[in-house]
Amino acid sequence: MKHSVNGMSLSKSGQKLLDLNGSGRQLWQQRQHLLDVDSLQDSELEILLEAARVCREMVDNQEPPLALLQSVTIANLFYENSTRTRSSFELASRRLGATVLNLDIASSSVAKGETIEDTAVTLWSMGVNALVQRHHASGSAEQVAKAMGTRLKLINAGDGWHAHPTQALLDYFTMHQIRGSLNGAKIAIIGDITHSRVARSNIALLTKMGASVHVAGPPTLLPANLDRLNVKVYDRIEPCIADADFIMILRLQLERQKQGLIPSTSEYKKIYQIDSAKLSAASPNVRILHPGPMNRDIEISNELADNPKYSLISTQVRNGIAVRMAILYLLLSGKETN
Ligand code: NCD
């Protein structure tokens, strides 16, 4: 079917997005918020991959923005630092024609003590339809989503140690591009699991998709409840990555070192840094992911970080735009765009 939006005809990619159909599409349209990966159903994940593939083509071909979300206003509200997540949400929103508002927290009323709920209400009153929120407190996304109900759609861009659904979804998309289904894949996650919302969301999503997830890190950086998450736990990297298809390296959260959770950075490097020597234990076709920001030469050797044979780090960043476009499109486009 040939579509147009407000009288403007759409590019091929725009048409492909509008033509996406099925139960997954309807579930996304009925969905109010994206707070974690746990609530996503298989059909939602399937259509998300499909939409992200179209969006990735758009990014690769440097297509001009589509007018699909031109009646939507999206606010990026980052109470915590971010390079990748924040800028990819902004680029994704713009590529779909949305109006984007980037809040500078340091100079906002939050600095004067306004609650996160009141900030959300203020933005809603100004006509904001979707809030992309990152906050240092676990549970903050749910808190604001509950307070806002159906007034706006909230996308969790990371809440404390709890969840980072869009990162897990872009990691899943990246691995799926290479291997297809992850059913039966061996995926190793290495590093500071305790403080990592990336690890938590990935563990939930990857085990759900049938992958066998193995984790390794210093015992002081492994949470106590890991056995309940259906993963295998190691205190050394070599057995953890043996025959792995993918290895996800996490940032050593240097800011937490003051708390004395690891003896020293050099000790950590010796045991947990992924380098060519340790990599020989993995499958020859193994690929490495890192959500960024990375500490070069601490959790990953310089050489591996830039080695295109193994590293998927730049691919993850590029896919981040495509996956976030797909999420925004599926969540925010109504039937009225036909
Ligand atoms: C991570 C985050 O902020 O949760 N990065 C990201 O979103 N790309 C990981 C981290 O800070 O180590």
Side-chain angles (χ1 to χ4, degrees):
M1 213 208 299
K2 190 114 178 108
H3 300 285
S4 66
V5 174
N6 295 345
M8 281 189 289
S9 66
L10 279 174
S11 68
K12 256 195 184 152
S13 322
Q15 307 248 358
K16 278 193 204 163
L17 287 179
L18 279 182
D19 286 339
L20 290 173
N21 226 320
S23 59
R25 175 84 179 104
Q26 281 158 18
L27 284 173
W28 274 104
Q29 279 172 336
Q30 288 155 14
R31 173 177 277 285
Q32 185 61 40
H33 306 293
L34 179 63
L35 304 182
D36 55 35
V37 288
D38 308 73
S39 65
L40 286 167
Q41 300 195 21
D42 290 353
S43 60
E44 288 178 280
L45 291 164
E46 257 165 54
I47 202 149
L48 177 66
L49 291 184
E50 246 179 88
R53 273 182 222 116
V54 177
C55 295
R56 172 67 208 241
E57 262 172 47
M58 280 185 64
V59 174
D60 289 346
N61 299 336
Q62 299 197 15
E63 287 184 29
L66 294 170
L68 291 171
L69 296 187
Q70 66 180 1
S71 53
V72 171
T73 302
I74 301 171
N76 279 325
L77 190 53
F78 280 66
Y79 294 96
E80 246 191 10
N81 296 345
S82 168
T83 308
R84 273 150 285 265
T85 308
R86 177 172 168 156
S87 37
S88 65
F89 263 114
E90 178 170 355
L91 290 172
S93 306
R94 290 190 192 284
R95 280 191 176 274
L96 294 167
T99 301
V100 190
L101 178 68
N102 281 312
L103 271 107
D104 182 1
I105 295 296
S107 61
S108 74
S109 295
V110 176
K112 299 182 184 167
E114 185 171 71
T115 67
I116 53 176
E117 288 95 334
D118 283 343
T119 303
V121 172
T122 303
L123 292 169
W124 164 76
S125 309
M126 292 177 179
V128 165
N129 309 103
L131 200 56
V132 177
Q133 179 181 283
R134 169 171 289 190
H135 194 278
H136 46 81
S138 300
S140 48
E142 198 184 342
Q143 187 185 326
V144 172
K146 270 205 181 125
M148 296 311 289
T150 56
R151 288 183 285 182
L152 53 70
K153 300 210 169 196
L154 191 123
I155 299 174
N156 183 7
D159 63 324
W161 305 354
H162 170 240
H164 193 349
T166 64
Q167 180 68 43
L169 291 166
L170 79 89
D171 292 339
Y172 171 52
F173 177 71
T174 303
M175 291 185 264
H176 194 280
Q177 272 185 322
I178 290 175
R179 194 187 189 270
S181 163
L182 294 186
N183 196 16
K186 176 171 176 180
I187 303 170
I189 305 181
I190 312 289
D192 179 355
I193 312 285
T194 299
H195 303 108
S196 177
R197 53 193 171 212
V198 176
R200 270 186 196 80
S201 286
N202 264 295
I203 290 170
L205 183 59
L206 299 173
T207 51
K208 181 185 163 84
M209 300 324 286
S212 154
V213 179
H214 300 243
V215 308
T220 46
L221 296 179
L222 297 178
N225 64 352
L226 266 181
D227 44 334
R228 276 193 269 133
L229 300 180
N230 206 8
V231 299
K232 211 161 173 318
V233 187
Y234 306 79
D235 57 8
R236 297 194 68 87
I237 187 169
E238 292 83 355
C240 181
I241 64 172
D243 300 319
D245 299 294
F246 298 99
I247 304 175
M248 190 176 291
I249 305 293
L250 300 173
R251 182 171 71 90
L252 179 63
Q253 309 211 354
L254 291 167
E255 64 271 23
R256 300 186 206 282
Q257 267 204 68
K258 292 176 205 105
Q259 302 164 12
L261 291 173
I262 57 164
S264 69
T265 317
S266 62
E267 189 78 358
Y268 184 88
K269 280 174 63 170
K270 209 160 60 196
I271 307 177
Y272 297 104
Q273 182 189 83
I274 186 84
D275 57 18
S276 306
K278 293 199 192 80
L279 200 62
S280 58
S283 139
N285 297 321
V286 70
R287 309 300 293 272
I288 297 174
L289 296 99
H290 190 309
M294 83 185 141
N295 299 302
R296 274 178 180 275
D297 210 25
I298 296 184
E299 67 261 7
I300 183 165
S301 69
N302 248 329
E303 185 256 316
L304 278 188
D306 301 320
N307 186 331
K309 180 167 185 273
Y310 298 110
S311 173
L312 290 172
I313 299 169
S314 302
T315 310
Q316 284 172 279
V317 173
R318 185 171 277 243
N319 284 342
I321 300 178
V323 169
R324 290 181 175 116
M325 282 174 77
I327 291 168
L328 293 170
Y329 172 69
L330 291 169
L331 195 63
L332 297 168
S333 62
K335 291 162 203 129
E336 77 285 353
T337 45
N338 273 312

